[in-house]
Amino acid sequence: MRTSQDSAALNRALLARQGLLARHRLGVVEAVETIGAVQAQQWSTPPIGLWSRLSGFDPADLWAALDAGDLVTGILMRRTLHLVSAAEHPAYARVAVDGGVGGWLLRGAAPPSRADELLAATLRWAAGKVRTGEEVTAYVESWVAAHPGALPDEAVAAQREYDWRPFRAQPSFVRAPADGRWGARTPSGYRALPAAMADTGPAWELVVRRHLAAFGPAGADDVAYWTGAGVKTAKAVLDRLDLETLGEEGSKRVLYDVPGAPRPGGDVEAPVRFLPAFDGALLAYAANRRARILPDAYRDRVYRRANLRWLPTFLVDGVVAGTWSSSVKRGGAVLDVTPFATLPRATEAMLSAEAADLIRFLEPAAKTHAARITSA
């Protein structure tokens, strides 16, 4: 008989693995591998997520790892930007490609038969140098002109409609700063990086194990959502791995986990923590399976459907309890915290202290720092 996990136990397992119970003491590359591919479509968010999860985190360590090529950022699962280690990028890229992330927008049609030829030529041309988006577009247009008929007219027209951005938005390209200096500015250039593993088995096994180790226990539907694959594909990978299986309280769903992964009890105390926009701890599960960290009642207060944006949040007792934002005016930095419900005074005091630490981290050069909690 499988051990059944309730929502509190699932929450504490997630927090422990993410460094949100006790901050991890890891180097930045190992940390990124441990907590799963880090969502990076808003470039300001990875440093915040790492600050909340790592003891003594310094953004300079992140920029140094990116500059050394030990970490990379590019389009991966679900056609979104992620930060991963260079060592694991080929596996994530293979999974992303298998999950349908490609460089063509043909409304369901297969990619052109010579698409791989164009990609290979572009990667050879771009090798060893950061290229701007305009340079990549110019090269691709020159290749199309030199190979008349190689690509269907409708495929070329679809790419030109978006200035060839779909072609650039595939795992074979990672982002890099055009001026060579990594930092808070969003990297706008492109670097060629061979992306695919010949054998998809090891790639899928590595990525699925990473997901479970970072966010488990999880169901096949969670793995499917996170990887962008179908549930049958995810289930096939789960079935060939050596995993523990558990039950979920109030459900017939099977949960999978890496043997020996942390699963502290649901009664373990959880500290206040701040999460950035688009944080992976909220997005690692199927849309209807996030209640372990995001109460259903708050879902529409965190996710803005109009612009597909996930707001920055904070956790109280391990679950989302409100949102936050920061601003700087006349040299003074302020973190505005908005709880969704009235908080006990002791909790509000802890929230204020953590918020004060965060605003100092975000705006170290500001003349003054303050945390402001808005009444629920």
Side-chain angles (χ1 to χ4, degrees), residues 61-326:
D61 295 335
L62 174 59
W63 312 139
L66 285 159
D67 186 57
D70 297 327
L71 291 174
V72 296
T73 184
I75 296 292
L76 291 170
M77 292 83 68
R78 308 183 310 283
R79 292 185 173 85
T80 55
L81 283 163
H82 286 79
L83 179 72
V84 299
S85 70
E88 294 186 351
H89 179 268
Y92 279 105
R94 180 71 265 162
V95 167
V97 170
D98 289 350
V101 176
W104 300 90
L105 290 178
L106 297 177
R107 295 170 178 83
S113 60
R114 296 180 68 179
D116 287 345
E117 184 180 340
L118 168 59
L119 177 59
T122 308
L123 293 175
R124 288 194 298 271
W125 164 79
K129 183 178 181 180
V130 176
R131 305 285 186 170
T132 66
E134 292 78 12
E135 288 175 325
V136 177
T137 295
Y139 175 82
V140 172
E141 287 285 4
S142 69
W143 189 93
V144 170
H147 299 80
L151 303 175
D153 291 343
E154 60 270 24
V156 174
Q159 288 286 347
R160 286 173 175 165
E161 182 179 352
Y162 297 97
D163 196 27
W164 290 90
R165 285 191 296 273
F167 176 78
R168 301 196 301 266
Q170 54 185 314
S172 295
F173 299 102
V174 294
R175 300 296 174 84
D179 62 3
R181 294 194 293 269
W182 285 97
R185 182 178 298 178
T186 302
S188 60
Y190 295 82
R191 184 162 66 88
L193 194 66
M197 275 180 136
D199 184 347
T200 62
W204 275 94
E205 290 169 5
L206 184 150
V207 170
V208 170
R209 286 183 65 88
R210 280 299 188 195
H211 179 269
L212 296 178
F215 305 108
D221 52 347
D222 298 321
V223 174
Y225 170 81
W226 191 70
T227 59
V231 174
K232 287 185 178 179
T233 299
K235 183 65 165 57
V237 179
L238 291 164
D239 285 346
R240 67 175 180 254
L241 291 172
D242 180 19
L243 301 172
E244 293 185 42
T245 58
L246 304 99
E248 182 178 25
E249 191 175 86
S251 170
K252 296 181 179 179
R253 202 165 63 122
V254 176
L255 301 179
Y256 300 84
D257 204 5
V258 177
R263 288 203 295 269
D267 58 348
V268 172
E269 185 176 350
V272 168
R273 288 286 186 261
F274 283 83
L275 301 180
F278 301 99
D279 193 83
L282 276 61
L283 302 179
Y285 309 100
N288 61 339
R289 304 293 190 183
R290 295 170 177 156
R292 73 178 70 184
I293 187 169
L294 175 59
D296 291 339
Y298 297 154
R299 185 167 46 194
D300 290 339
R301 302 182 69 172
V302 173
Y303 179 55
R304 298 292 170 84
R305 298 178 188 276
N307 57 4
L308 307 179
R309 178 173 173 76
W310 288 86
L311 299 180
T313 60
F314 64 87
L315 308 180
V316 171
D317 195 25
V319 298
V320 170
T323 58
W324 64 272
S325 63
S326 64

